[in-house]
Amino acid sequence: MSAPNLYHYDPDGVLTEITTAVASPRDLELGETVWMIPARSTTVVPPVPGENETVRFADGEWSVVADLRGVVAFDTATRQPVVIAQVGELPDHLTLIEPPSANHVFDNGEWIEGPIPVPASVSAGQLIRALDQVDLLDTVDAAVAQADSLTQRLWARAAIFERSDPLIVGMAAAIGQTTEQLDDLFRLAATF
């Protein structure tokens, strides 16, 4: 009788290696052939897994499971890459599809273009070009001319405009712009 193959598995039941069983020396002395089967091994033959699959032993039988270990997936909420370390199906919060940009959100199994983030700041030149493009430059100039002298000086000397600056928020309110319109203006300004 030839020695049977042994199929070894890790604590999670995942196949790790195939070896040949060794006869028990004590039983050989008695004239019997008893094969030693170490812990976490079996003589049950596993099925042949396909691509990106492996086999797992549980409850006395093998089953084929997904094996994406080492594959880069992407978190559907943060878009961050994650290297898969466990066998099994891909968790619901991960996808194998790389996001095309930081402006994409994962929806219904695919990345779609999401809202463009509002920049925290833009240069004075960018803001002036954006105001001109949406026909608000003259309106803002008139509002600045009516403002107190400190606001006029700050507006005239600013090199960078912060979206959250009270000067910007107040000026937007003074010319009748909503928060959403101000966000859109900063998005537009960032394109210049």
Side-chain angles (χ1 to χ4, degrees):
M1 172 194 248
S2 62
N5 283 336
L6 292 178
Y7 303 92
H8 303 272
Y9 49 90
D10 67 15
D12 294 325
V14 177
L15 180 67
T16 57
E17 68 177 329
I18 303 170
T19 62
T20 303
V22 175
S24 167
R26 190 183 72 164
D27 293 324
L28 282 176
E29 291 173 2
L30 299 174
E32 299 176 18
T33 303
V34 176
W35 303 108
M36 294 192 301
I37 301 175
R40 290 201 305 260
S41 60
T42 181
T43 57
V44 176
V45 179
V48 176
E51 186 176 351
N52 293 326
E53 294 179 330
T54 191
V55 288
R56 178 184 281 156
F57 193 72
D59 300 323
E61 63 184 22
W62 292 101
S63 59
V64 176
V65 294
D67 186 4
L68 299 171
R69 291 176 289 183
V71 172
V72 176
F74 298 88
D75 189 299
T76 58
T78 66
R79 296 177 295 281
Q80 294 300 309
V82 177
V83 178
I84 305 298
Q86 303 289 329
V87 300
E89 295 301 316
L90 195 63
D92 289 341
H93 72 283
L94 297 177
T95 180
L96 297 177
I97 305 167
E98 184 173 357
S101 76
N103 296 331
H104 282 73
V105 293
F106 199 74
D107 184 39
N108 205 21
E110 65 181 333
W111 293 104
I112 59 171
E113 186 130 14
I116 298 170
V118 178
S121 64
V122 295
S123 73
Q126 288 174 307
L127 186 58
I128 290 168
R129 285 182 183 93
L131 288 167
D132 185 54
Q133 185 162 332
V134 296
D135 295 323
L136 286 176
L137 187 56
D138 290 339
T139 304
V140 169
D141 285 344
V144 169
Q146 298 298 316
D148 62 82
S149 63
L150 179 60
T151 299
Q152 291 176 6
R153 287 182 179 144
L154 289 171
W155 192 266
R157 294 182 176 135
I160 299 290
F161 287 97
E162 301 286 333
R163 167 60 184 85
S164 60
D165 188 323
L167 175 69
I168 293 294
V169 174
M171 189 58 63
I175 63 169
Q177 296 294 295
T178 65
T179 300
E180 293 78 18
Q181 289 171 317
L182 182 57
D183 288 344
D184 288 342
L185 183 66
F186 265 67
R187 287 185 189 106
L188 176 62
T191 67
F192 293 107

